[in-house]
Amino acid sequence: MTEGVDERLKELRKLEGAEIVEHGEDSIESSVDSDESNTLLGTEGASNAPNVVDADTRLSANEHAAARGPDPHPASLSKASSGERTPSHRQHSADVGADRGVDNSFGEINADPGISVADVPQPIPEGEPVPTVDPHIHELNAKLLFTSENYGAFGDEDISDLDDDAVIKRHNESALAPYWAIVSQWEPDDVMRDRYGTFEALGYEWEFVPRDAEKAGVTYWQGKIAARGQSFDAFNEYQIGVRTTDEIGARSASFQFRPALPAATHCDSGELIGGMPRDMPYGVRVQIGSSNLTPDETTELLRSVADVIGVNSDYFGEDRIHQWSRAFGLGQYVRLDREEAQKKLVGRGSALDRLARFASTMEGSSGEYEWDNEEVMGHRNALLLDSHAWSKLIPQDQFAKLLKYYHPKNPRSESTTADEDPLRDPKFEIQFSPTYNEEDSVPWQSDAVYDFRDLIEEAENALMNVLNWANVTTRADERTFTEDEYWTPTESVTDYVELVRDPMPRIEKIENAAALKQFADGASSLGERHVLQAVADGGSAMHWTDVREAAGQSKSTIYRAVKQFDDILKIQNGSIGFEDGIIRDRVDQLLGSFNDAMDWVRGEAGHLADKAARFAQATSALGRWARRHLAHIEETHDGLLVDLTGTPLLERELEEILRSGFNAAYDDGSHAARTFVEDTVFRWYSKEQERVRESKNIVLEEAGRVKICGNKRASFGVSRGSAPR
């Protein structure tokens, strides 16, 4: 080879596999508006919208699992290292320039030898704000504890050695005043409606909800908490429901009031109530369920209701909210143009469909996918993904979430326009789901740990990214988003919404690469490969005794195989399986294609048995080259197919890789080199053309010299039997 080529090959070998960043491509029910129902989401492909942050990742050979995302963290996850809340900034796009975008160009990074590269969200470049549409909070649910007791007097000390009387004496019973105030001012629904009529709050007119109108009406019932020291057996619990007087009446809230007290016992059994901390302060617990209100609006409305019925609203001040207050329900939605939403979010190949298929092959994850397309496509569709699946899609995500796509219970006719009735267009919603979460709630507010505001931000970021992956604009485009009674599409810039390209194709390629790397490692014995074949044939996790029978190998060989293929196999409680379904499927393909390739090499290069054997075990120079560049080699009817589509390539990058491939084939002998030149089809993803290309003429012989990408690079010899020089 020429001196220049030799020097460039030396530089290429120094990289030992440098990679290039690739292009991206209770049950399942929740309360909704009385006239609307649930659905789920899928993704169609990478968005071409300008507001996309491309992502780079460095993946070490022993850390390919990082591409699967971090383990989900519990709700107690600490915030920033400073220990203080990082403020969430939302700035209206008019203030920053709505037409700005983010540079979508892809950079290059170096990775460890023989490893793959994943895309991980990176911060939006400073000075390049990306406006996104503001979703509407459809519903929230929380249990708030209001107390005037000193926070430092309880909660942080060990009281295990104290008896109940001693625990009770630690607290001030006068802090129960808010509960007694509700008791004294509460009236039956008809009296309350007649006495107070309507009232103003948050800029809207409100009314009290009749007891029988819905579950959120004004009512009361006897609770189960023993009324210690009182003339009655159990405390009553009270509910006050309010709603706006607009035509729909779906902006609403219900407040359930219960006493809070230490060492609370059951009125019938006398046993401590497990759901209430033994050291709970005196106060009032308020269970909140609201629709079309933000958290701040909900607590402000609570204070307004208190004022209206003659209760001191200071009892429900923000400074009275105790650290044990929790939120357990959240829904945020956008309303989308029917035609575009139906095309991109539901149906075969849509965003929801792709997300469901992606998660369903992920070993170790759980989820649910329900659909109702009977009356109209996407009438009620819902996709629930657990925290493991979400953390793969968006690594910082911590919780299971439900995606819903739904029309009203009685879908509007397609001939109806959005101006005539906004409900002709479906909602696309994301909800926090207690199902599949280790934590079924999060703190209402905290400066130190993940809280409800963080959950709102996580859900909004996920919703925006799913829209982006579905190729739906995330700008407040009036052609895409439909205004309704409670939501007007606006857009703003936040410090927590980070749009990234669809990660599913990249994750699949990363895990495919892990399978390729391990399978083609060459260090495994024939018995260990038999074990891998048996586990692949089994389809799911198998007990090691079943693997022994299927593979015909000893227990020691089985455990050596697990160790040898530790990147793709796992063992738990004696059962052996693949890390997930993507890797299992890829190994199935590799077993077939590599076996075919080995048969071809053995048959065609019998006179070079030592070379062929090394190639068959993927330890030949060409095998090492394929492994280094994540190439997939398989036999075709008239030669070989070398698939390099694992990473997008510029032409100069492709040329360097193919030159090193030719050099590797030459190291394996003239037969391998000539096959590489004359009988091999190459497939790659062109960065310049942004598409997969395939050619047999990218490497060819012309006048005794090899031409790669049109450039003459190496002498191949003048006769067919001669070797490259």
Side-chain angles (χ1 to χ4, degrees):
M1 302 186 74
T2 66
E3 184 177 6
V5 173
D6 287 338
E7 289 300 313
R8 296 189 69 183
L9 284 176
K10 289 178 183 177
E11 290 299 313
L12 182 65
R13 285 168 175 163
K14 287 179 184 178
L15 292 177
E16 286 297 323
E19 300 298 338
I20 309 300
V21 175
E22 62 194 18
H23 269 10
E25 312 244 288
D26 300 295
S27 66
I28 204 167
E29 298 174 357
S30 178
S31 60
V32 294
D33 291 347
S34 57
D35 195 29
E36 300 189 81
S37 44
N38 306 355
T39 70
L40 41 149
L41 293 177
T43 51
E44 190 172 67
S47 171
N48 295 321
N51 55 334
V52 176
V53 178
D54 292 327
D56 301 337
T57 288
R58 218 169 251 133
L59 193 63
S60 73
N62 295 322
E63 295 174 350
H64 75 279
R68 294 193 277 274
D71 291 334
H73 300 292
S76 60
L77 179 74
S78 296
K79 290 182 186 286
S81 58
S82 64
E84 298 182 1
R85 166 182 283 280
T86 302
S88 302
H89 301 294
R90 179 181 287 282
Q91 184 177 8
H92 193 275
S93 61
D95 299 327
V96 295
D99 293 331
R100 293 188 190 176
V102 172
D103 182 5
N104 292 333
S105 60
F106 288 79
E108 298 180 20
I109 60 173
N110 290 337
D112 290 342
I115 32 143
S116 161
V117 175
D119 283 354
V120 175
Q122 297 294 309
I124 294 172
E126 185 177 353
E128 294 292 343
V130 180
T132 53
V133 65
D134 305 319
H136 183 64
I137 293 186
H138 185 197
E139 59 184 52
L140 68 85
N141 301 94
K143 294 179 180 179
L144 306 185
L145 168 59
F146 294 91
T147 182
S148 59
E149 284 207 57
N150 185 340
Y151 285 15
F154 51 83
D156 298 327
E157 302 174 39
D158 183 6
I159 61 169
S160 59
D161 293 337
L162 300 180
D163 60 24
D164 291 346
D165 288 339
V167 170
I168 293 170
K169 288 178 181 178
R170 287 160 52 85
H171 296 279
N172 185 355
E173 191 172 354
S174 66
L176 198 56
Y179 171 76
W180 293 124
I182 293 294
V183 173
S184 66
Q185 296 302 109
W186 187 88
E187 299 283 0
D189 59 322
D190 54 343
V191 176
M192 194 170 284
R193 287 170 61 82
D194 290 342
R195 176 176 297 180
Y196 304 117
T198 60
F199 63 96
E200 294 292 322
L202 304 174
Y204 308 107
E205 184 179 69
W206 298 80
E207 65 179 357
F208 291 91
V209 179
R211 172 176 181 163
D212 298 330
E214 51 190 277
K215 293 180 180 179
V218 175
T219 186
Y220 83 101
W221 56 88
Q222 180 177 294
K224 297 298 183 181
I225 300 175
R228 186 172 54 231
Q230 305 299 324
S231 60
F232 46 88
D233 294 332
F235 288 107
N236 285 338
E237 300 177 356
Y238 300 86
Q239 177 173 281
I240 297 176
V242 294
R243 66 189 177 195
T244 51
T245 58
D246 58 71
E247 185 176 340
I248 299 176
R251 179 180 281 115
S252 61
S254 68
F255 304 104
Q256 295 178 4
F257 301 89
R258 299 179 175 91
L261 60 157
T265 58
H266 195 282
C267 62
D268 296 328
S269 68
E271 299 293 326
L272 288 172
I273 295 177
M276 298 177 65
R278 187 162 164 257
D279 202 30
M280 176 173 278
Y282 283 103
V284 61
R285 294 176 295 138
V286 183
Q287 182 168 328
I288 294 173
S290 68
S291 296
N292 299 301
L293 294 171
T294 67
D296 291 340
E297 288 174 334
T298 302
T299 53
E300 184 178 342
L301 179 60
L302 171 61
R303 290 188 286 272
S304 296
V305 169
D307 281 334
V308 168
I309 66 175
V311 172
N312 184 354
S313 60
D314 289 344
Y315 287 147
F316 306 101
E318 297 294 324
D319 61 334
R320 295 286 186 93
I321 300 177
H322 187 262
Q323 59 191 359
W324 288 342
S325 299
R326 311 281 292 185
F328 62 92
L330 170 69
Q332 298 183 83
Y333 80 87
V334 294
R335 192 179 293 278
L336 292 148
D337 172 73
R338 184 173 188 161
E339 285 70 30
E340 181 170 6
Q342 183 172 307
K343 173 184 175 183
K344 296 180 177 180
L345 292 174
V346 293
R348 187 182 298 275
S350 67
L352 285 180
D353 181 54
R354 292 181 56 242
L355 279 169
R357 287 188 284 109
F358 171 78
S360 67
T361 63
M362 191 181 302
E363 208 161 307
S365 70
S366 300
E368 299 176 31
Y369 189 14
E370 294 185 357
W371 62 92
D372 177 1
N373 300 320
E374 198 167 335
E375 292 187 55
V376 62
M377 188 66 182
H379 189 187
R380 300 184 183 189
N381 292 358
L383 175 62
L384 176 58
L385 301 180
D386 70 358
S387 56
H388 179 57
W390 278 111
S391 68
K392 273 201 167 186
L393 295 165
I394 305 173
Q396 66 268 31
D397 273 21
Q398 301 177 31
F399 289 98
K401 291 179 286 292
L402 171 73
L403 291 167
K404 304 189 327 182
Y405 178 107
Y406 58 99
H407 282 275
K409 182 177 180 180
N410 299 308
R412 288 8 178 203
S413 168
E414 288 191 36
S415 62
T416 304
T417 67
D419 291 334
E420 294 171 334
D421 186 352
L423 298 189
R424 79 170 298 272
D425 290 338
K427 280 182 178 178
F428 187 51
E429 184 165 333
I430 190 165
Q431 291 185 345
F432 167 73
S433 172
T435 307
Y436 301 122
N437 277 317
E438 291 184 10
E439 300 279 343
D440 61 3
S441 62
V442 296
W444 177 259
Q445 59 187 25
S446 174
D447 291 332
V449 300
Y450 188 105
D451 65 11
F452 192 41
R453 269 62 177 183
D454 296 309
L455 179 62
I456 292 172
E457 294 172 4
E458 176 178 318
E460 180 178 340
N461 183 57
L463 180 63
M464 291 299 104
N465 272 287
V466 172
L467 288 173
N468 186 44
W469 302 336
N471 206 23
V472 174
T473 181
T474 54
R475 303 295 299 271
D477 183 359
E478 63 181 8
R479 296 166 298 181
T480 299
F481 298 103
T482 302
E483 180 177 357
D484 60 28
E485 180 72 18
Y486 303 109
W487 181 60
T488 299
T490 58
E491 63 183 28
S492 58
V493 176
T494 73
D495 61 356
Y496 54 84
V497 173
E498 298 177 358
L499 299 182
V500 297
R501 292 187 182 276
D502 182 355
M504 286 180 280
R506 289 188 288 273
I507 292 171
E508 290 170 350
K509 288 176 183 177
I510 289 162
E511 298 192 340
N512 286 346
L516 175 64
K517 173 182 176 292
Q518 285 268 293
F519 180 77
D521 201 351
S524 59
S525 67
L526 183 61
E528 290 163 356
R529 288 179 180 248
H530 277 305
V531 170
L532 186 67
Q533 177 79 65
V535 177
D537 291 343
S540 59
M542 302 170 63
H543 194 269
W544 74 267
T545 54
D546 297 325
V547 176
R548 179 179 61 187
E549 182 176 348
Q553 302 296 319
S554 67
K555 180 178 180 179
S556 59
T557 300
I558 293 171
Y559 280 90
R560 282 199 306 271
V562 173
K563 185 176 181 180
Q564 172 65 29
F565 298 113
D566 61 344
D567 275 4
I568 57 178
L569 287 181
K570 64 179 182 180
I571 183 167
Q572 187 173 9
N573 297 326
S575 292
I576 302 170
F578 290 99
E579 284 289 343
D580 57 35
I582 296 172
I583 288 180
R584 183 187 61 236
D585 293 344
R586 179 58 165 154
V587 169
D588 277 337
Q589 297 170 6
L590 290 172
L591 284 166
S593 62
F594 268 81
N595 286 340
D596 289 345
M598 286 188 283
D599 291 343
W600 179 85
V601 171
R602 290 189 181 106
E604 294 295 318
H607 62 291
L608 296 172
D610 58 330
K611 298 285 189 181
R614 288 195 296 119
F615 183 85
Q617 294 179 4
T619 58
S620 66
L622 192 58
R624 290 192 299 273
W625 168 82
R627 189 163 67 254
R628 181 180 306 123
H629 297 287
L630 302 180
H632 179 194
I633 302 177
E634 63 180 87
E635 180 189 7
T636 64
H637 66 281
D638 56 358
L640 290 178
L641 171 65
V642 175
D643 191 330
L644 289 160
T645 56
T647 52
L649 299 170
L650 296 171
E651 183 173 324
R652 62 176 178 79
E653 297 164 345
L654 175 66
E655 181 182 347
E656 289 181 357
I657 290 173
L658 293 181
R659 285 205 331 270
S660 65
F662 170 74
N663 192 46
Y666 167 64
D667 288 344
D668 283 336
S670 61
H671 179 85
R674 188 163 296 283
T675 298
F676 191 85
V677 173
E678 298 180 351
D679 299 315
T680 301
V681 174
F682 298 92
R683 181 183 296 155
W684 73 99
Y685 187 98
S686 167
K687 267 191 181 180
E688 291 93 345
Q689 301 180 28
E690 296 190 351
R691 66 183 178 89
V692 173
R693 297 191 57 195
E694 186 171 299
S695 174
K696 189 175 181 179
N697 297 321
I698 197 73
V699 178
L700 50 82
E701 178 190 2
E702 185 176 280
R705 296 181 66 82
V706 174
K707 292 182 66 176
I708 299 176
C709 297
N711 298 314
K712 294 181 179 179
R713 294 296 184 187
S715 172
F716 192 65
V718 293
S719 67
R720 292 193 59 85
S722 60
R725 294 188 294 275

